[in-house]
């Protein structure tokens, strides 16, 4: 069983930056994927970014490409999401999730993930 704990959420002004962290504990295998999702009030949980526990490939939703960067620190068992040039449209509760997924096209649906953290709130004011 994998446990995830998110941190780093805060209130920022538009154009600002935040760095979210996801601490990973428990047994995680090399072919697990760790992803960030977000959920705004009244909306479905949507994919933001993903990285495998090993390897270098990263995956992003189109609207965050060039602004967000996902990274992994295996030594400290954590995954980070650097978010720059934030806009009010980025405001949401951000969750990290993990699952044993082999095909990248399966990364994008929250329904494919087995473990979730409790979420961290990101608020962006205009």
């Amino acid at each position: 069983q994998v446990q995830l704990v998110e941190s780093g959420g805060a209130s920022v002004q538009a154009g600002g930056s935040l760095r979210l962290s996801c601490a990973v504990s428990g047994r995680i295998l090399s072919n697990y994927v760790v992803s960030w999702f977000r959920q705004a009030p009244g909306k479905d949980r949507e994919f933001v970014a993903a990285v495998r526990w090993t390897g270098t490939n990263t995956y992003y939703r189109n609207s965050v490409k060039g602004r967000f960067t996902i990274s992994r620190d295996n030594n400290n068992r954590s995954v980070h999401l650097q978010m720059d040039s934030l806009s009010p449209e980025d405001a949401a509760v951000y969750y990290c999730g993990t699952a044993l997924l082999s095909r990248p096209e399966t990364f994008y649906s929250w329904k494919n993930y087995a473990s979730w953290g409790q979420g961290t709130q990101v608020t962006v004011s205009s």
Side-chain angles (χ1 to χ4, degrees):
Q1 182 103 19
V2 180
Q3 294 81 41
L4 306 171
V5 178
E6 303 94 335
S7 62
S11 295
V12 297
Q13 290 190 329
S17 297
L18 281 176
R19 185 173 186 252
L20 306 183
S21 296
C22 175
V24 180
S25 60
R27 187 170 184 237
I28 186 166
L29 303 178
S30 61
N31 50 353
Y32 270 60
V33 61
V34 180
S35 298
W36 286 96
F37 282 73
R38 65 188 182 189
Q39 189 166 18
K43 295 188 177 181
D44 207 357
R45 191 169 295 192
E46 63 180 22
F47 172 82
V48 176
V51 65
R52 289 193 185 278
W53 195 242
T54 58
T56 59
N57 288 354
T58 55
Y59 307 83
Y60 298 93
R61 71 179 296 109
N62 286 338
S63 63
V64 308
K65 286 180 181 178
R67 300 189 299 122
F68 290 12
T69 304
I70 190 170
S71 61
R72 187 191 66 239
D73 182 345
N74 292 85
N75 289 335
N76 290 313
R77 295 178 63 86
S78 58
V79 175
H80 306 285
L81 185 68
Q82 177 66 41
M83 306 188 296
D84 299 319
S85 301
L86 284 161
S87 72
E89 289 71 34
D90 297 314
V93 178
Y94 282 69
Y95 298 91
C96 64
T98 190
L100 183 59
L101 299 173
S102 58
R103 294 179 290 122
E105 60 266 30
T106 63
F107 297 174
Y108 305 110
S109 173
W110 65 268
K111 298 177 183 179
N112 294 330
Y113 287 75
S115 300
W116 294 97
Q118 82 290 349
T120 187
Q121 178 73 51
V122 172
T123 303
V124 184
S125 58
S126 57

